[in-house]
Amino acid sequence: STAVSGSRGKEIVMKKIVGAKRFQIITQVMAETFTSVFIAIMLAILLASLFLQYMNVILNRNLDVSLLYQPEFIGFYTIILLIATFISGLYPAWLISSSKFTDVLKANKLSGHSGSLLRNILVTGQFTAAVIFIISLIVIMKQLNFLQTKDLGYSYNQVIKMPLNMQSAEKLPVLQSELLKIKGVKGTMSGFLEMGNGKSLFGIDYQSPGGQQQHVSVNFENAAAGYAHFFGMKILAGHDLEKDNTANEYLVNETLAKQIGWTNPIGKEINLTGGWP
């Protein structure tokens, strides 16, 4: 807007000759800016609607397009529209409306303003914002790539999750037997929580290497036999959960072993105390 405003000398002079007032010229410029910003916002919403499904795949989310059209978002778009119109249109409107006949006729432009400090600041700010967005895009893409390629210590590929209520869970053996009859199904596994959910926090009592009785909160999963093998987890020591295990054994990860201070957790005792400590 600031770049184009310096080249509208003839247009503004003609409007003033036919009797246009300064307020009318300012209104025209602000209306043009309002239209440009409005089209930009509509285009942004359209692009967001088109690409949201692809973002859901990348981010593993289920964001619905209807969220973009909620009343609170529409109010937010309106605020952006008004603020952007005021900021981007006020200076060009003032510059154009304050032009003098003699300056325009001599230089064929709105002289004295096109190279002003304010315009340089605005243009520099625009390029700075563009650079920031480009750098942010690169950082975000690298982070998404890291999330997609990071070795989580287990494999969830080709696994279909089937949430069950308590009534259905009572018939779990029958369901698993029927699923195994389907061609392509290599195995089934049951657990209380979704893999990686981490919302079941339990307390455990244990004896530290120094002999003191300690208490700590941990994420706990009640899983069936063969759980680690099913998800491709690497067991550094000990063995996977087994059927008909009467030893009341637990599998712990390296993080918990280090937190407790055990270099070799095999054979150590912990006492599961229940829910929140």
Side-chain angles (χ1 to χ4, degrees):
S1 296
T2 56
V4 174
S5 63
S7 304
R8 300 182 65 177
K10 288 184 178 181
E11 172 195 347
I12 302 306
V13 167
M14 290 302 300
K15 289 181 182 295
K16 288 188 174 183
I17 289 176
V18 297
K21 304 297 183 182
R22 184 173 185 180
F23 174 77
Q24 294 174 317
I25 295 176
I26 292 177
T27 303
Q28 174 199 337
V29 176
M30 294 298 290
E32 292 172 355
T33 305
F34 178 89
T35 304
S36 298
V37 177
F38 179 80
I39 294 174
I41 291 178
M42 291 299 102
L43 181 60
I45 296 174
L46 175 62
L47 291 175
S49 301
L50 294 175
F51 288 98
L52 186 60
Q53 56 180 324
Y54 303 104
M55 289 299 296
N56 282 335
V57 175
I58 295 175
L59 300 176
N60 192 27
R61 293 291 183 269
N62 188 28
L63 301 176
D64 194 271
V65 176
S66 62
L67 292 173
L68 296 171
Y69 307 103
Q70 296 294 325
E72 55 268 27
F73 279 94
I74 294 177
F76 181 66
Y77 303 149
T78 303
I79 293 174
I80 292 179
L81 174 61
L82 297 177
I83 293 177
T85 299
F86 179 80
I87 293 177
S88 59
L90 183 62
Y91 172 67
W94 172 81
L95 172 64
I96 291 174
S97 63
S98 62
S99 59
K100 297 180 180 180
F101 284 17
T102 54
D103 295 336
V104 175
L105 294 175
K106 288 180 180 179
N108 195 28
K109 65 178 182 180
L110 307 181
S111 61
H113 296 285
S114 58
S116 67
L117 177 62
L118 180 57
R119 177 186 168 188
N120 292 336
I121 292 175
L122 292 174
V123 174
T124 302
Q126 176 178 309
F127 280 105
T128 302
V131 171
I132 292 175
F133 277 117
I134 292 173
I135 294 175
S136 300
L137 175 62
I138 295 173
V139 172
I140 291 173
M141 293 305 298
K142 286 184 175 293
Q143 289 295 316
L144 290 175
N145 181 67
F146 173 78
L147 291 174
Q148 291 175 326
T149 58
K150 170 67 176 176
D151 182 12
L152 301 176
Y154 64 89
S155 175
Y156 211 75
N157 295 329
Q158 303 299 317
V159 175
I160 299 176
K161 180 186 67 174
M162 298 177 59
L164 302 176
N165 54 31
M166 294 302 297
Q167 184 178 0
S168 301
E170 294 176 356
K171 302 178 182 179
L172 182 60
V174 177
L175 176 60
Q176 290 179 313
S177 177
E178 292 299 318
L179 288 174
L180 290 173
K181 296 178 182 179
I182 300 175
K183 183 179 179 181
V185 176
K186 295 183 178 180
T188 63
M189 180 54 53
S190 62
F192 184 70
L193 298 174
E194 179 183 355
M195 171 66 70
N197 192 304
K199 291 185 178 179
S200 182
L201 198 62
F202 276 69
I204 62 171
D205 294 324
Y206 67 95
Q207 188 175 31
S208 68
Q212 299 88 2
Q213 290 295 326
Q214 301 288 342
H215 183 83
V216 67
S217 300
V218 297
N219 287 315
F220 176 82
E221 166 67 307
N222 185 10
Y227 189 83
H229 175 75
F230 182 87
F231 287 105
M233 298 179 183
K234 181 181 179 181
I235 300 178
L236 300 179
H239 56 79
D240 198 354
L241 300 175
E242 298 176 341
K243 292 183 178 180
D244 303 323
N245 180 11
T246 59
N248 194 27
E249 295 176 328
Y250 298 95
L251 275 176
V252 301
N253 60 12
E254 286 184 278
T255 301
L256 179 59
K258 292 178 180 178
Q259 182 179 353
I260 292 177
W262 292 339
T263 55
N264 180 20
I266 303 299
K268 298 294 192 301
E269 292 185 1
I270 59 174
N271 179 33
L272 190 66
T273 59
W276 293 89

